[in-house]
Amino acid sequence: MSLALQEAWKFQGYTLPNPAVGAVVLDKNGVLQGVGAHKKAGTPHGEVHAIKNAFLRLNSDLALNEELKTKEDSEDIHNFLKAHAKDLFQDGTIFVTLEPCNHVGQTPACSDLIASLGFKKVVIACKDPNKTASGGIEYLRSQG
């Protein structure tokens, strides 16, 4: 979690009116595979950056990796990962500094992406006080 917090601090003030959220992805063996943070309002959240970075490390299909590298829009990245990640994140862990968002705004819900990819464990530093964005914890629990 310390690494996720350090990453988030790098972008404090750049994501207003949203918080800068950091995330770290570990594989099923506990090996660090991806780190990311929300960098600017309206762009992919920290979870998306961390998962994208982990995909690029874990996936051996170079053509898919090159395709993912070209994607910057959050919805495009979400859709790509859901279509191509297969079981890369199954039994993995994601650490997030703030409860994953559970609504669709300028970006899709991070809680849905995390649940879709089969993470076994989600470690959250704090619950989101924003009533619009919160609910990710409950959603993830309902998805197992």
Side-chain angles (χ1 to χ4, degrees):
M1 187 62 73
S2 178
L3 183 56
L5 288 165
Q6 288 174 27
E7 193 67 16
W9 272 111
K10 293 177 185 177
F11 299 96
Q12 290 299 313
Y14 292 102
T15 62
L16 293 173
N18 302 319
V21 175
V24 172
V25 173
L26 305 180
D27 65 19
K28 64 183 177 183
N29 298 314
V31 177
L32 177 67
Q33 297 296 339
V35 178
H38 186 200
K39 299 174 183 178
K40 182 180 172 188
T43 65
H45 294 172
E47 301 94 322
V48 178
H49 284 293
I51 295 167
K52 179 180 177 179
N53 290 335
F55 181 94
L56 293 170
R57 285 187 63 153
L58 293 167
N59 180 56
S60 59
D61 185 327
L62 297 179
L64 279 180
N65 287 352
E66 289 305 314
E67 183 179 347
L68 178 57
K69 286 178 186 177
T70 68
K71 300 192 179 303
E72 296 181 15
D73 177 75
S74 193
E75 187 171 359
D76 291 343
I77 297 169
H78 277 239
N79 291 336
F80 180 93
L81 290 168
K82 286 180 180 181
H84 299 289
K86 299 180 183 169
D87 62 350
L88 283 179
F89 301 105
Q90 186 128 17
D91 297 328
T93 300
I94 186 166
F95 289 80
V96 186
T97 60
L98 183 67
E99 173 182 16
C101 65
N102 195 47
H103 80 294
V104 177
Q106 291 184 15
T107 64
C110 292
S111 59
D112 178 62
L113 177 64
I114 292 167
S116 297
L117 296 179
F119 282 93
K120 182 177 183 176
K121 190 173 185 182
V122 181
V123 180
I124 300 166
C126 64
K127 191 172 171 97
D128 194 334
N130 181 326
K131 299 289 184 208
T132 303
S134 67
I137 293 171
E138 292 80 8
Y139 177 77
L140 289 166
R141 283 186 177 143
S142 75
Q143 300 301 303

